[in-house]
Amino acid sequence: MSAQRLVDLAPEFGTRVLRDVSMAKHTSWHVGGPADLFFTPRDAMDLAAFMRQLPPEVPLLWVGLGSNLLVRDGGIRGAVISTHGALGALERLNATRIQAEAGVPCARIARQCVKWGLGPAEFFAGIPGTLGGALAMNAGAWGAETWPHVVEVDVLDRRGARHTRQAADYEIGYRSVKGPADEWFIGARLEFERKPGVNTEAIRALLDKRRQTQPIGEWSCGSVFTNPPGDHAARLIESAGLKGFRIGDASVSEKHANFIINHGAARAADIEAVIRHVQSTVAQVHGIALTTEVRIVGVPA
Ligand SMILES: Cc1cc2nc3c(=O)[nH]c(=O)nc-3n(C[C@H](O)[C@H](O)[C@H](O)COP(=O)(O)OP(=O)(O)OC[C@H]3O[C@@H](n4cnc5c(N)ncnc54)[C@H](O)[C@@H]3O)c2cc1C
């Protein structure tokens, strides 16, 4: 089905549905070709209505802040749903429980929990994505992870029906979340502890520490590979002599070997070629198969 036909199918969504939107504007690597359709809902009900209209054969990709996504240069066939800037409600439900929609940036959850005297949520400050992305990835930092705090999630299925699921309905691992197929997160209730002494100084200290060891401010997707059991991907990559390895405008960071930097004009194909080279070199040198943490989507140019 053509993108124009999809737009024609859903005129009531007005300019919230856009055609041929460059995904480079919606990913922290700043690469990626156009999405056929790009939908930014008004709210969860609007999103459910859109899902009901979308023919089942149209491929669907949900994105938050695109901080863990490599979109190939040919772009995305089908529809992209953007939760960031849309599903943005965040509230406290009781002494220790909060509720957030999927588009809320993790950093905002960290700051707001400090204001509420709740923790440990400071780790969210180091994750430059949305809650939806953190739920999909079981994002974590500084020894903490998203899912130990999850009580329930609200999801939409492919036909736009809303369900509430318990944390126990999901199989959670390191950067891995397995749950019911063809459902996407629209929000969650998270449990923390009362931490009256917590303040933004704790967040600042963690972010300072991060700035010392990671190329923060450069275009990246954070850690590209998951750490294999008992080891660190960064150590394996560095000891294979790959720091600074470059293809086009993409290179392995000199500061942190598990980061790949777009220096400004990289294409997704350059980044993917660096990823494949790192994987094959580490396999040759160490006999270890690195697995990507970043999600690679879309079609080549
Ligand atoms: C500088 C930097 C540092 C980083 N540091 C860390 C770190 O310390 N720890 C860490 O875990 N990650 C880190 N990351 C990676 C990234 O921020 C996390 O994986 C984050 O959770 C991704 O959120 P997002 O909203 O950007 O998701 P996106 O990149 O937009 O999407 C990631 C995946 O989640 C899916 N998804 C997004 N929203 C939803 C939804 N609502 N429902 C279902 N699926 C959805 C997407 O389809 C995709 O498969 C870092 C990234 C950068 C750029």
Side-chain angles (χ1 to χ4, degrees):
M1 180 175 300
S2 75
Q4 185 55 54
R5 176 136 159 62
L6 284 170
V7 173
D8 293 345
L9 270 177
E12 67 271 35
F13 298 104
T15 54
R16 302 197 295 294
V17 183
L18 299 173
R19 281 185 54 187
D20 296 330
V21 171
S22 165
M23 290 302 292
K25 293 185 196 146
H26 297 281
T27 59
S28 59
W29 251 324
H30 296 261
V31 297
D36 289 343
L37 280 196
F38 190 92
F39 179 58
T40 309
R42 202 162 26 211
D43 53 31
M45 273 175 57
D46 192 41
L47 177 48
F50 181 80
M51 299 278 282
R52 278 196 294 277
Q53 292 266 346
L54 202 63
E57 69 274 15
V58 177
L60 192 59
L61 175 73
W62 284 46
V63 301
L65 276 157
S67 63
N68 203 46
L69 270 187
L70 178 61
V71 180
R72 293 194 174 102
D73 300 302
I76 307 281
R77 298 295 75 80
V80 169
I81 286 176
S82 169
T83 61
H84 176 55
L87 306 179
L90 172 61
E91 61 180 320
R92 186 177 186 172
L93 295 179
N94 62 33
T96 53
R97 193 165 290 185
I98 71 163
Q99 173 165 280
E101 286 190 302
V104 175
C106 293
R108 193 174 143 218
I109 296 177
R111 286 193 308 271
Q112 191 57 54
C113 281
V114 164
K115 283 187 194 152
W116 285 329
L118 295 177
E122 301 89 293
F123 73 96
F124 271 130
I127 298 166
T130 60
L131 176 63
L135 289 168
M137 298 300 306
N138 190 22
W142 302 304
E145 285 181 338
T146 303
W147 273 83
H149 297 285
V150 175
V151 182
E152 293 177 333
V153 290
D154 298 315
V155 297
L156 283 186
D157 68 20
R158 193 60 170 80
R159 285 165 306 164
R162 186 182 173 131
H163 309 272
T164 294
R165 308 252 178 246
Q166 305 303 305
D169 296 333
Y170 296 80
E171 199 185 306
I172 304 301
Y174 160 60
R175 303 294 176 269
S176 159
V177 177
K178 293 188 187 118
D182 283 341
E183 290 186 353
W184 294 267
F185 302 109
I186 54 172
R189 281 164 289 292
L190 306 173
E191 182 78 17
F192 296 100
E193 288 162 31
R194 296 188 75 164
K195 227 179 151 186
V198 71
N199 57 47
T200 48
E201 202 40 58
I203 291 181
R204 202 166 304 134
L206 289 171
L207 293 178
D208 278 349
K209 203 167 133 199
R210 170 168 290 230
R211 263 189 291 273
Q212 283 160 24
T213 55
Q214 297 179 2
I216 302 302
E218 297 195 67
W219 290 353
S220 83
C221 251
S223 291
V224 174
F225 303 99
T226 53
N227 290 320
D231 212 330
H232 286 95
R235 187 196 75 76
L236 296 166
I237 298 166
E238 181 170 355
S239 63
L242 288 164
K243 266 191 168 179
F245 175 79
R246 185 169 183 138
I247 294 175
D249 229 9
S251 77
V252 176
S253 166
E254 296 279 0
K255 197 164 180 179
H256 191 303
N258 201 9
F259 281 53
I260 294 174
I261 305 298
N262 173 5
H263 296 278
R267 295 169 308 137
D270 300 328
I271 294 172
E272 199 170 352
V274 173
I275 290 173
R276 301 302 168 216
H277 180 79
V278 167
Q279 284 176 318
S280 65
T281 308
V282 167
Q284 275 167 26
V285 174
H286 299 292
I288 291 176
L290 288 180
T291 307
T292 50
E293 176 177 327
V294 296
R295 303 282 176 90
I296 302 175
V297 295
V299 294

